[in-house]
């Protein structure tokens, strides 16, 4: 389980996150020192307080990615290790539904009902304008 975190991809990510966290620490110290110099300002002080937050976010993101990767490998282990038994018909009944079967609404919504100029003249004029743009776009293609 933890071996997946020692792949070359993850080793590079570990190095990247460690370097980013250390860099935010150095930048915070640099801005803190800069704020206390003669040319320093409140902006430098604000940056000095902001860099540790960036470092904390880097650590949070690192932990979140590790947990997501471990959860993904746990899910693959559960589904991939179970031996298939029974007839193909029984197996077909127990397989989870696909995304298309679970979808309760269409991908493209149905068109809105048309609006008469009597109901809402501004909306009808706008719809007519959009239809004209669509026609000119279709003819240009």
């Amino acid at each position: 389980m933890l071996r997946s975190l020692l792949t070359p991809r993850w080793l590079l990510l570990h190095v990247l996150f460690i370097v980013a966290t250390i860099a935010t620490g150095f930048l915070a110290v640099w801005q803190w020192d800069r704020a206390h110099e003669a040319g320093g300002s409140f902006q430098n002080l604000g940056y000095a307080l902001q860099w540790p937050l960036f470092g904390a976010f880097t650590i949070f993101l690192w932990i979140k990615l590790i947990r997501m990767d471990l959860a993904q490998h746990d899910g693959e282990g559960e589904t991939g290790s179970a031996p298939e038994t029974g007839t193909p018909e029984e197996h077909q009944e127990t397989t989870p539904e696909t995304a298309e079967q679970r979808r309760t609404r269409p991908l493209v919504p149905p068109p809105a009902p048309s609006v008469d100029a009597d109901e809402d003249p501004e909306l009808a004029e706008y719809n007519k304008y959009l239809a004209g743009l669509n026609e000119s776009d279709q003819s240009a293609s």
Side-chain angles (χ1 to χ4, degrees), residues 53-99:
L53 293 175
F54 290 148
F57 179 73
T58 303
I59 293 170
F60 168 77
L61 184 63
W62 188 11
I63 293 169
K64 189 77 169 168
L65 285 174
I66 289 173
R67 286 184 178 175
M68 285 173 52
D69 192 59
L70 291 176
Q72 180 183 8
H73 285 295
D74 286 346
E76 288 175 359
E78 291 174 2
T79 58
S81 63
E84 292 186 22
T85 58
T87 63
E89 291 83 15
E90 291 174 359
H91 178 67
Q92 189 176 13
E93 292 174 4
T94 60
T95 56
E97 296 176 336
T98 62

Side-chain angles (χ1 to χ4, degrees), residues 103-112:
R103 188 175 300 120
T104 58
R105 60 181 183 184
L107 287 176
V108 178

